[in-house]
Amino acid sequence: MDMRLLYEVRPDLQTMAPVFEGAHLGDLLRKSVGVWECAVSLASWVLDGEVNALIAFVLYAGFAMLLPVVDMALILTATLADLRPDAASSAKRWSSPALALSRKLRKVSMLDVSVMGSFVVVVSLASMREKGVIVDVRSGALALLVAEACRYAASGIAQRAHACHSEAAERSDEAVV
């Protein structure tokens, strides 16, 4: 919060300036909130008995943070299984189920939703800037957006490589017969 701008917009609050400065109100309202800080705060509220925080924690820590990591692990597992020398049998046993599960997880993971939600909130609160409330997106949001794009690209590459590998394995099986 920009206290100088707040006093310009609301001159009647200028008389309270010593109280605000004594309480370090400007510092208290100047927060940079990251993904981990959000998850930790939600977890502490859950431990305090907040049921709504439990739902938010499951949605944010589980669906927005954990599921994309699990999805990338499945993509990596499938790709490594396809690269093995005995990949023909490995592809059927490990790669196909891993990629199928990855497709399902991608549909329910919410990292992209979380990042876009952040952008929507910032754009929605842009009108508050003239009143001294400044909300902006930091570089971490761009990093998360790039990570999500990389996850989609890795998935597409892994799916295509698996399909090509499976076709090649089928052709070699037909040639042997």
Side-chain angles (χ1 to χ4, degrees), residues 10 42 78 135 168:
R10 297 278 312 269
L42 285 170
V135 179

Side-chain angles (χ1 to χ4, degrees), residues 18-166:
V19 174
F20 293 156
E21 290 169 13
H24 303 288
L25 186 63
D27 294 334
L28 290 173
L29 295 176
R30 186 173 294 121
K31 292 285 183 186
S32 180
V33 181
V35 172
W36 291 110
E37 292 88 358
C38 181
V40 168
S41 293
L42 285 170
S44 70
W45 296 333
V46 168
L47 294 175
D48 289 341
E50 292 286 334
V51 176
N52 290 335
L54 174 65
I55 296 167
F57 181 78
V58 168
L59 290 174
Y60 196 69
F63 287 85
M65 292 172 66
L66 181 64
L67 285 185
V69 173
V70 172
D71 184 23
M72 282 302 294
L74 288 169
I75 292 168
L76 179 63
T77 300
T79 304
L80 291 176
D82 278 341
L83 293 175
R84 291 183 53 191
D86 63 337
S89 64
S90 175
K92 291 178 183 170
R93 195 172 59 222
W94 292 101
S95 296
S96 298
L99 289 174
L101 183 57
S102 171
R103 276 191 300 276
K104 290 176 183 168
L105 285 181
R106 199 169 321 110
K107 292 182 188 302
V108 295
S109 71
M110 296 186 346
L111 180 58
D112 52 351
V113 175
S114 174
V115 172
M116 292 312 295
S118 299
F119 286 121
V120 167
V121 167
V122 168
V123 170
S124 298
L125 293 176
S127 64
M128 297 296 289
R129 185 176 290 269
E130 62 194 28
K131 295 180 179 150
V133 178
I134 301 170
V135 179
D136 61 352
V137 176
R138 299 296 177 135
S139 60
L142 180 61
L144 289 174
L145 189 61
V146 169
E148 187 67 0
C150 288
R151 184 169 69 98
Y152 277 94
S155 173
I157 292 168
Q159 295 280 351
R160 183 67 187 135
H162 177 71
C164 290
H165 187 74
S166 296

